[in-house]
Amino acid sequence: MLNTSTDEYQEVISAVQGFYARKDSAHNLEHALRVRDWGRKIAQAENAELRAVELAAILHDIGRSGTLEKTHAESSAALGKNVLQKLGYSEDLIQKVIGAVVSHSREGGHEPLSLEAKVLYDADKLDFVGPIGIARLFTWGGKEGKPFFGPNSCEEFYCERIRNYANHLFTDSAKKYFMPLFEYSEDFWHQLSKLKA
Ligand SMILES: [Fe+2]
Ligand SMILES: [Fe+2]
């Protein structure tokens, strides 16, 4: 059980807990808080606005089971805007946060434009490499009924999506954190593919 009672953003975390409780464990509150930790490290190195990055990370996946007309990033942005408005955050900060949330995934064609949006984008990708990334991939793949190998598999998702992240990160700090974790993932897949039936 997470103890966030002394957290600076405790009110926001409490407000989003219910949304994340309905997600698979690859996209739950723990994921959001790991992304926030990565975001904080990258934001400090890149001189991005810390508050906007932290709030965006906490909110970024709350809309994953939203309506089909919207991407999960668009749903998260709409829900996140509501949460922040109810808690009395300034419109200026809300705009920055929501701009980052809506572009943390490229599904809807939203490009990360601000530095804070780029930091969130990169921070989210760091949670898909290394030991945590592998654990998340198989947790999510299991829920989706994906086999390890072959068409529409965990391996295919790794090769077509996660491997591409290596060339699509925005910030130098994220690249520095990404590479050793990515090498771990590459080695894991190399070892696993030797065991293919
Ligand atoms: Fe997401
Ligand atoms: Fe995410």
Side-chain angles (χ1 to χ4, degrees):
M1 190 66 192
L2 285 171
N3 181 5
T4 55
S5 56
T6 56
D7 197 287
E8 189 183 347
Y9 298 111
Q10 170 59 37
E11 276 188 326
V12 185
I13 293 171
S14 297
V16 301
Q17 236 153 7
F19 292 107
Y20 281 118
R22 297 195 289 272
K23 311 292 175 287
D24 65 87
S25 52
H27 297 96
N28 56 9
L29 181 61
E30 282 84 353
H31 162 62
L33 296 179
R34 283 192 304 270
V35 171
R36 177 205 190 178
D37 286 342
W38 281 123
R40 203 189 267 150
K41 285 181 187 158
I42 304 167
Q44 279 163 346
E46 304 284 335
N47 283 321
E49 187 180 340
L50 200 51
R51 277 186 319 165
V53 169
E54 289 198 60
L55 286 167
I58 294 167
L59 295 164
H60 82 281
D61 271 338
I62 62 172
R64 279 195 77 90
S65 43
T67 61
L68 289 175
E69 302 83 59
K70 285 184 179 168
T71 67
H72 85 275
E74 289 166 345
S75 296
S76 300
L79 293 168
K81 185 176 180 177
N82 249 330
V83 168
L84 296 181
Q85 280 175 335
K86 278 192 189 141
L87 292 173
Y89 282 88
S90 72
E91 273 308 310
D92 183 48
L93 180 57
I94 292 174
Q95 286 313 315
K96 275 187 203 154
V97 171
I98 294 322
V101 171
V102 81
S103 58
H104 85 271
S105 157
R106 289 247 172 81
E107 285 164 340
H110 304 280
E111 272 295 303
L113 299 175
S114 69
L115 176 57
E116 289 70 25
K118 289 171 185 170
V119 171
L120 176 67
Y121 181 94
D122 285 1
D124 188 40
K125 307 308 165 284
L126 280 162
D127 210 41
F128 244 145
V129 281
I132 290 276
I134 291 165
R136 289 186 65 228
L137 174 55
F138 284 98
T139 300
W140 170 77
K143 182 187 149 268
E144 299 285 315
K146 288 182 183 293
F148 289 172
F149 308 110
N152 199 23
S153 64
C154 292
E155 181 188 40
E156 189 179 272
F157 187 85
Y158 177 76
C159 293
E160 292 183 1
R161 293 283 288 274
I162 299 176
R163 203 174 256 166
N164 280 332
Y165 295 154
N167 302 316
H168 291 97
L169 295 172
F170 291 97
T171 65
D172 287 341
S173 343
K175 286 175 198 161
K176 190 183 75 190
Y177 291 123
F178 188 91
M179 287 322 289
L181 294 169
F182 178 56
E183 278 165 26
Y184 184 103
S185 294
E186 285 286 276
D187 185 55
F188 171 87
W189 280 102
H190 178 68
Q191 299 298 332
L192 188 65
S193 61
K194 285 200 260 179
L195 304 172
K196 269 186 204 177

Short mmCIF file of all heavy atoms in Angstrom, two decimals, residues 27 31 60-61 64 72-73 76 101 104-105 107 124-125, ligand 1:
data_model
loop_
_atom_site.label_atom_id
_atom_site.label_comp_id
_atom_site.label_asym_id
_atom_site.label_seq_id
_atom_site.Cartn_x
_atom_site.Cartn_y
_atom_site.Cartn_z
N HIS A 27 -0.75 0.07 -15.58
CA HIS A 27 -1.12 1.48 -15.76
C HIS A 27 -1.85 2.00 -14.53
O HIS A 27 -2.85 2.71 -14.64
CB HIS A 27 -2.01 1.64 -17.00
CG HIS A 27 -1.32 1.28 -18.27
ND1 HIS A 27 -1.42 0.05 -18.86
CD2 HIS A 27 -0.46 1.99 -19.04
CE1 HIS A 27 -0.69 0.02 -19.96
NE2 HIS A 27 -0.09 1.18 -20.10
N HIS A 31 2.40 3.16 -11.41
CA HIS A 31 3.01 3.59 -12.68
C HIS A 31 3.08 5.11 -12.75
O HIS A 31 4.13 5.69 -13.06
CB HIS A 31 2.22 3.02 -13.87
CG HIS A 31 2.49 3.71 -15.17
ND1 HIS A 31 3.74 3.73 -15.77
CD2 HIS A 31 1.67 4.45 -15.99
CE1 HIS A 31 3.68 4.43 -16.90
NE2 HIS A 31 2.44 4.89 -17.04
N HIS A 60 -1.58 11.52 -15.85
CA HIS A 60 -1.48 11.25 -17.29
C HIS A 60 -2.24 10.03 -17.81
O HIS A 60 -2.61 9.99 -18.98
CB HIS A 60 -0.01 11.18 -17.74
CG HIS A 60 0.65 9.87 -17.49
ND1 HIS A 60 1.12 9.48 -16.27
CD2 HIS A 60 0.92 8.83 -18.33
CE1 HIS A 60 1.67 8.28 -16.37
NE2 HIS A 60 1.56 7.87 -17.61
N ASP A 61 -2.50 9.02 -16.96
CA ASP A 61 -3.20 7.83 -17.47
C ASP A 61 -4.57 7.61 -16.82
O ASP A 61 -5.11 6.50 -16.90
CB ASP A 61 -2.33 6.57 -17.24
CG ASP A 61 -1.38 6.30 -18.41
OD1 ASP A 61 -1.64 6.78 -19.53
OD2 ASP A 61 -0.36 5.61 -18.19
N ARG A 64 -7.68 5.97 -19.04
CA ARG A 64 -7.41 4.80 -19.90
C ARG A 64 -8.65 3.97 -20.21
O ARG A 64 -8.65 3.23 -21.19
CB ARG A 64 -6.33 3.90 -19.30
CG ARG A 64 -4.95 4.42 -19.59
CD ARG A 64 -3.90 3.37 -19.32
NE ARG A 64 -3.83 2.38 -20.36
CZ ARG A 64 -3.06 2.46 -21.43
NH1 ARG A 64 -2.28 3.50 -21.60
NH2 ARG A 64 -3.05 1.51 -22.32
N HIS A 72 -6.80 7.62 -24.97
CA HIS A 72 -6.71 7.62 -23.51
C HIS A 72 -6.05 8.90 -23.02
O HIS A 72 -6.36 9.40 -21.94
CB HIS A 72 -6.00 6.37 -22.99
CG HIS A 72 -4.52 6.44 -22.96
ND1 HIS A 72 -3.73 6.16 -24.05
CD2 HIS A 72 -3.66 6.78 -21.97
CE1 HIS A 72 -2.47 6.32 -23.72
NE2 HIS A 72 -2.39 6.70 -22.46
N ALA A 73 -5.16 9.49 -23.84
CA ALA A 73 -4.50 10.73 -23.44
C ALA A 73 -5.50 11.90 -23.46
O ALA A 73 -5.47 12.76 -22.57
CB ALA A 73 -3.33 11.02 -24.38
N SER A 76 -7.71 11.43 -20.43
CA SER A 76 -6.97 11.79 -19.21
C SER A 76 -6.88 13.30 -19.08
O SER A 76 -7.00 13.85 -17.98
CB SER A 76 -5.55 11.20 -19.24
OG SER A 76 -5.59 9.81 -19.33
N VAL A 101 -0.32 16.27 -20.75
CA VAL A 101 -1.05 15.00 -20.65
C VAL A 101 -1.57 14.57 -22.03
O VAL A 101 -1.43 13.40 -22.42
CB VAL A 101 -2.23 15.13 -19.64
CG1 VAL A 101 -3.14 13.90 -19.70
CG2 VAL A 101 -1.70 15.33 -18.22
N HIS A 104 1.19 12.94 -24.26
CA HIS A 104 2.16 11.95 -23.76
C HIS A 104 2.11 10.67 -24.58
O HIS A 104 3.00 9.82 -24.49
CB HIS A 104 1.95 11.65 -22.26
CG HIS A 104 0.90 10.61 -21.97
ND1 HIS A 104 -0.42 10.91 -21.81
CD2 HIS A 104 1.00 9.27 -21.84
CE1 HIS A 104 -1.09 9.79 -21.57
NE2 HIS A 104 -0.24 8.77 -21.60
N SER A 105 1.05 10.53 -25.39
CA SER A 105 0.95 9.39 -26.30
C SER A 105 0.70 9.97 -27.67
O SER A 105 -0.03 10.95 -27.81
CB SER A 105 -0.21 8.49 -25.87
OG SER A 105 -0.66 7.74 -26.96
N GLU A 107 -0.95 8.57 -30.04
CA GLU A 107 -2.15 7.97 -30.65
C GLU A 107 -3.07 9.00 -31.32
O GLU A 107 -3.59 8.75 -32.39
CB GLU A 107 -2.99 7.25 -29.58
CG GLU A 107 -2.43 5.94 -29.11
CD GLU A 107 -3.09 5.49 -27.81
OE1 GLU A 107 -3.67 6.33 -27.09
OE2 GLU A 107 -3.03 4.31 -27.51
N ASP A 124 7.41 8.86 -19.22
CA ASP A 124 6.48 7.73 -19.40
C ASP A 124 7.18 6.57 -20.11
O ASP A 124 6.97 5.40 -19.78
CB ASP A 124 5.28 8.24 -20.21
CG ASP A 124 4.15 7.22 -20.30
OD1 ASP A 124 3.88 6.55 -19.29
OD2 ASP A 124 3.53 7.13 -21.38
N LYS A 125 8.04 6.88 -21.07
CA LYS A 125 8.71 5.83 -21.84
C LYS A 125 9.75 5.10 -20.99
O LYS A 125 10.02 3.92 -21.21
CB LYS A 125 9.38 6.40 -23.10
CG LYS A 125 8.46 7.23 -23.98
CD LYS A 125 7.19 6.48 -24.34
CE LYS A 125 6.10 7.37 -24.90
NZ LYS A 125 5.37 8.20 -23.93
FE FE B 1 -0.55 6.67 -21.35
#
